[in-house]
Amino acid sequence: MTDTTVSTTDSTTRAMLNALEAIARKAGAAIMEIYESGDFTVDMKSDDSPLTTADRAAHAVIVDGLKAMEAEFGATPILSEEDADISWDVRSDWTRYWLVDPLDGTKEFIKRNGEFTVNIALIEQGVPTMGVVYAPAIETLYVGAQQGEGQAAIAEKQVGEGERQAIAVSDVPSSTDSWRIVGSRSHQTEEFKAFVADFAACDIVAMGSSLKLCLVAEGAADLYPRLGPTCEWDTGAAHAVVEAAGGQVLNAETRQALRYNQHDSVLNPYFIVCAKP
């Protein structure tokens, strides 16, 4: 399959981000309509993860929005959690595609704690080069993008209707500082507990969905070790935000940069999100 490549200029990057933000907000509005009504069904997928009416509604909004962008930015394939049955024979030819999680943190949605997000990422040659993470219940938006070779990255956060602010990862703590380590709200594993036991001093920050990566991106946490299963759509958008903010997402075993669409499985290896030392 041949992708239509779009040159990434500063103006093109901003225009694409604006379009993605509008799509994410529209998907968030569809989620919140269902969330606030309390009228939704919960089904279980084959991997025992939950699927709600809101997941499906957000998926439809995002796919329609991305298709509408094709006239201006070129045709680009879409891999969404809610439409992931695409063979490796097809995906292996993709050099550029949209990676979507319409509702990340479905368990948080069901628990009604507000820590769920809409995630849209652009993946190019296995690298997340653009991402939008929108948390509609707390009206918080994160965006991140690389603006092209030799140009600065965009990493921003907006809360409600407030002004948009640039974000950046924090410096690596000194040996005497307490580390702020992000843990999952719903998935703390024995491996995670063993990992944090190696730190002389640390504060555990619990959070749901892709907001965990965004905490590192905005400097509100120093480290996020994900030592449990995730899929590529769980991380792609927030990974782009982390990279744009000066951080990195590393394979926990190899310490190499996490990459996407490299094999037939959509499962991520265990990974660590941190500042660049």
Side-chain angles (χ1 to χ4, degrees):
M1 181 175 183
T2 302
D3 301 329
T4 302
T5 302
V6 178
S7 61
T8 306
T9 63
D10 187 28
S11 59
T12 300
T13 300
R14 179 50 77 181
M16 291 180 74
L17 280 174
N18 288 343
L20 293 181
E21 290 174 23
I23 294 169
R25 289 183 184 279
K26 187 174 181 180
I31 290 170
M32 290 306 296
E33 182 176 353
I34 296 168
Y35 183 72
E36 290 170 352
S37 73
D39 183 18
F40 57 87
T41 59
V42 181
D43 299 320
M44 299 307 292
K45 300 181 186 178
S46 58
D47 62 356
D48 289 332
S49 62
L51 173 67
T52 72
T53 313
D55 294 81
R56 297 187 180 96
H59 167 78
V61 168
I62 293 169
V63 170
D64 287 348
L66 293 177
K67 293 287 188 184
M69 289 175 62
E70 291 184 355
E72 184 175 359
F73 301 109
T76 305
I78 303 168
L79 177 64
S80 168
E81 179 178 11
E82 308 315 334
D83 187 15
D85 189 18
I86 302 172
S87 73
W88 174 240
D89 286 342
V90 173
R91 286 193 294 111
S92 61
D93 287 336
W94 291 358
T95 59
R96 185 173 187 272
Y97 68 100
W98 297 112
L99 181 60
V100 175
D101 192 342
L103 174 50
D104 183 38
T106 302
K107 290 183 179 179
E108 317 308 333
F109 175 89
I110 295 168
K111 293 175 184 176
R112 304 187 63 80
N113 67 16
E115 295 175 1
F116 50 85
T117 55
V118 176
N119 300 269
I120 309 172
L122 180 64
I123 309 296
E124 299 181 278
Q125 302 292 348
V127 178
T129 57
M130 184 177 298
V132 171
V133 176
Y134 179 50
I138 57 175
E139 296 186 68
T140 301
L141 175 78
Y142 296 90
V143 301
Q146 306 297 326
Q147 293 194 81
E149 188 174 353
Q151 298 184 41
I154 298 170
E156 298 172 337
K157 175 183 178 180
Q158 184 178 26
V159 178
E161 298 300 320
E163 291 186 8
R164 191 161 303 197
Q165 296 182 343
I167 59 174
V169 297
S170 293
D171 294 335
V172 177
S174 70
S175 58
T176 59
D177 290 335
S178 179
W179 285 71
R180 298 165 299 167
I181 302 180
V182 184
S184 171
R185 178 76 71 192
S186 303
H187 304 283
Q188 283 198 11
T189 63
E190 292 304 316
E191 290 90 344
F192 174 84
K193 294 173 185 176
F195 182 93
V196 299
D198 288 335
F199 288 80
C202 67
D203 297 318
I204 306 300
V205 183
M207 183 61 70
S209 73
S210 57
L211 291 170
K212 296 185 290 293
L213 289 89
C214 293
L215 287 178
V216 177
E218 67 176 310
D222 305 306
L223 190 66
Y224 168 38
R226 180 58 187 225
L227 307 178
T230 58
C231 290
E232 294 183 355
W233 46 70
D234 294 319
T235 58
H239 185 164
V241 176
V242 169
E243 293 275 353
Q248 56 186 344
V249 182
L250 304 176
N251 182 308
E253 181 178 358
T254 67
R255 295 299 196 268
Q256 299 299 307
L258 193 68
R259 291 293 176 255
Y260 295 78
N261 202 43
Q262 301 300 297
H263 40 72
D264 59 346
S265 174
V266 293
L267 289 174
N268 286 320
Y270 292 177
F271 61 84
I272 297 172
V273 185
C274 56
K276 293 181 180 178

